[in-house]
Amino acid sequence: MHTLLETVLSTTLWGLWSYLLVISLYIALVTFGAWCLVLKERVHRSKTTSRPTIAILVPAHNEELGIATTVQQLLGAEYPRESFRVIVIADNCTDRTAEVARAAGADVIERTDLVKRGKGQALDWVLKEHEQLLSRFDLVAFVDADMYVDPKFLAALAEKFADPQIQVVQGRYTIANPGASWLTALGFVSFAYVNHVRPAGRTFWGGTAELKGSGMCFRRELICETGWPSGSIAEDVDFGKELLFRDICVHYAPRAIVTSDIPTRLRQVEVQQSRWEGGKLDVERKFFGRTLRALMRRPSIAMLDALLDLCVPPLSVVVLLSVLGFALAFLVDAPSPWLFLIPLAAFALSVVTGLVQLRPPFKTYVYLACAPAFILWKLTLLARLMRRPGQAEWRRTPRDAEQK
């Protein structure tokens, strides 16, 4: 019996090691690609003088406290004023969002639909019901109502669309307040890895950058044809996957920058993380089989990349599996426990790459000492979500200003 248990444990550990090795090699390639893309961006700048017209849609639900800042920053873009328009979608608002947005200089479309609620539904409604309004523009961009927008955001998007083959672009969406608390610092680390390193590397190798929910831009013909076809809590990720099945990759624009403050209180973070991680679990269940079948029918780098990306778990799970494998490997002859440190090194290198490239304040590095506690908390959250599959729901994250 003892020998049987050792055999089972050894076989299980070799299987775990093989899985970790595959995703580690994938992340290592993605990290290398991120360096290549960033260096390419620094060396090569497009010389095009094209200035496509851009409609910027800003979905907003009860955002009167922050909408004016976002609108004013968009209107202050370093881009010809006659070439873009800011349109706020005041969706099921019960506050002064519409009034404040108009006063800040935006055009406002108000929507009331208590049945079809949510960001995805609001965007789909505007794209279908106001197609004539959008028909005068070349591009349609999407920016959330609580964003800080870099002055060069529109110009960086327009530069990408100088390539007629590019249909969709995702800008760099990161954290604006990494030094506010240990939670925001670790949030910045996560965003740097998930929203910068991975989309940069995937774009370099010919994959898709995915959609990140804000800072996105589409050719107007494409987005008006498709509408916004998803109403799930991960509608942006769903949409990006559906585009890939149409052979349309999302390209990453690291110089098209939007940022947002994230919560400083654990209760707020739990709401946000539950929505994000629950949405990711839904996406994996929905798209893994479809992606595998699509890859088998018509192999391509983009589809292989998409499948491998779906296989990569959250960083907290990678740490758990690597540490568990390291500890259990001492009980059997093979594999060597030290092999389980390779995945930790690969993912750590990817995280460090994000920090080096995005240059957060020094305090961010100090707060990394809190990472073990956050990992344990995140693992308990994931365990709760796994026990309730398919029950994830959209809940708006309470803003810091609303907590005072």
Side-chain angles (χ1 to χ4, degrees):
M1 184 65 177
H2 181 67
T3 303
L4 177 60
L5 286 175
E6 284 188 341
T7 302
V8 171
L9 180 58
S10 178
T11 302
T12 301
L13 287 174
W14 273 117
L16 176 60
W17 157 243
S18 300
Y19 165 68
L20 291 172
L21 178 63
V22 170
I23 63 173
S24 299
L25 291 174
Y26 170 67
I27 288 298
L29 282 172
V30 166
T31 303
F32 178 72
W35 280 109
C36 292
L37 183 78
V38 169
L39 292 174
K40 180 181 176 182
E41 289 273 334
R42 291 175 182 173
V43 172
H44 174 72
R45 295 290 181 89
S46 172
K47 295 182 173 58
T48 180
T49 57
S50 173
R51 289 293 182 265
T53 53
I54 308 174
I56 309 165
L57 300 184
V58 185
H61 172 68
N62 290 348
E63 295 285 0
E64 70 170 290
L65 295 178
I67 188 64
T69 298
T70 301
V71 169
Q72 290 164 0
Q73 289 181 350
L74 286 167
L75 292 174
E78 296 177 8
Y79 200 76
R81 184 63 188 87
E82 67 278 7
S83 296
F84 71 95
R85 186 172 174 182
V86 180
I87 304 169
V88 171
I89 309 162
D91 181 45
N92 288 312
C93 292
T94 57
D95 64 358
R96 298 174 57 251
T97 294
E99 180 183 341
V100 172
R102 285 194 187 95
D107 297 316
V108 178
I109 299 174
E110 296 188 62
R111 171 183 181 264
T112 302
D113 189 332
L114 299 181
V115 177
K116 297 180 179 179
R117 307 178 59 144
K119 175 181 169 182
Q121 290 86 341
L123 293 177
D124 191 53
W125 175 80
V126 169
L127 292 169
K128 291 177 179 176
E129 298 297 325
H130 296 271
E131 185 176 357
Q132 185 173 1
L133 169 65
L134 300 175
S135 65
R136 69 191 71 173
F137 299 96
D138 301 310
L139 308 174
V140 179
F142 300 85
V143 174
D144 280 354
D146 58 347
M147 294 284 108
Y148 301 107
V149 186
D150 186 85
K152 295 181 173 59
F153 172 70
L154 295 180
L157 290 177
E159 182 179 305
K160 289 294 181 183
F161 284 101
D163 182 345
Q165 301 300 315
I166 291 179
Q167 297 291 309
V168 188
V169 171
Q170 172 63 56
R172 186 209 299 178
Y173 174 17
T174 54
I175 300 303
N177 60 334
S181 73
W182 68 277
L183 288 169
T184 63
L186 295 178
F188 182 92
V189 172
S190 176
F191 269 54
Y193 160 70
V194 174
N195 285 5
H196 172 65
V197 175
R198 285 174 66 170
R202 297 177 68 187
T203 293
F204 178 80
W205 293 115
T208 183
E210 305 285 4
L211 297 174
K212 303 301 180 181
S214 187
M216 309 168 288
C217 193
F218 298 72
R219 291 199 186 273
R220 190 258 307 163
E221 297 87 350
L222 172 65
I223 194 62
C224 285
E225 172 200 340
T226 62
W228 200 273
S230 174
S232 73
I233 62 170
E235 88 288 330
D236 49 340
V237 183
D238 278 9
F239 192 13
K241 300 291 185 187
E242 295 292 351
L243 288 172
L244 184 59
F245 291 125
R246 297 180 51 170
D247 296 323
I248 298 173
C249 284
V250 179
H251 291 254
Y252 180 56
R255 290 186 288 112
I257 304 170
V258 295
T259 62
S260 69
D261 290 334
I262 62 170
T264 58
R265 297 173 173 84
L266 193 60
R267 185 177 66 84
Q268 297 166 284
V269 172
E270 183 170 3
V271 172
Q272 192 175 65
Q273 289 284 328
S274 296
R275 185 174 71 245
W276 289 347
E277 297 300 341
K280 290 175 187 175
L281 288 172
D282 289 344
V283 166
E284 289 169 3
R285 296 185 188 103
K286 185 185 303 183
F287 288 103
F288 185 85
R290 285 183 63 188
T291 304
L292 178 60
R293 291 191 294 272
L295 177 63
M296 294 175 67
R297 285 195 304 268
R298 191 171 57 175
S300 68
I301 290 176
M303 203 59 70
L304 176 61
D305 163 73
L307 185 66
L308 289 171
D309 182 75
L310 285 170
C311 291
V312 178
L315 282 171
S316 55
V317 175
V318 173
V319 173
L320 173 65
L321 294 178
S322 299
V323 171
L324 190 61
F326 177 80
L328 292 178
F330 282 102
L331 302 178
V332 294
D333 292 335
S336 169
W338 307 107
L339 291 177
F340 286 95
L341 298 185
I342 295 176
L344 290 178
F347 280 85
L349 180 61
S350 189
V351 169
V352 170
T353 291
L355 293 174
V356 170
Q357 291 183 351
L358 300 191
R359 302 177 182 177
F362 177 75
K363 190 183 292 187
T364 306
Y365 296 93
V366 176
Y367 281 133
L368 285 175
C370 299
F374 184 78
I375 289 172
L376 290 174
W377 175 84
K378 184 69 173 287
L379 288 170
T380 62
L381 174 66
L382 290 171
R384 291 200 303 271
L385 292 172
M386 289 292 290
R387 289 199 303 268
R388 301 192 303 270
Q391 294 186 14
E393 60 180 2
W394 190 90
R395 293 168 60 199
R396 178 176 177 272
T397 305
R399 307 295 190 251
D400 278 346
E402 298 170 348
Q403 305 296 303
K404 297 177 180 177

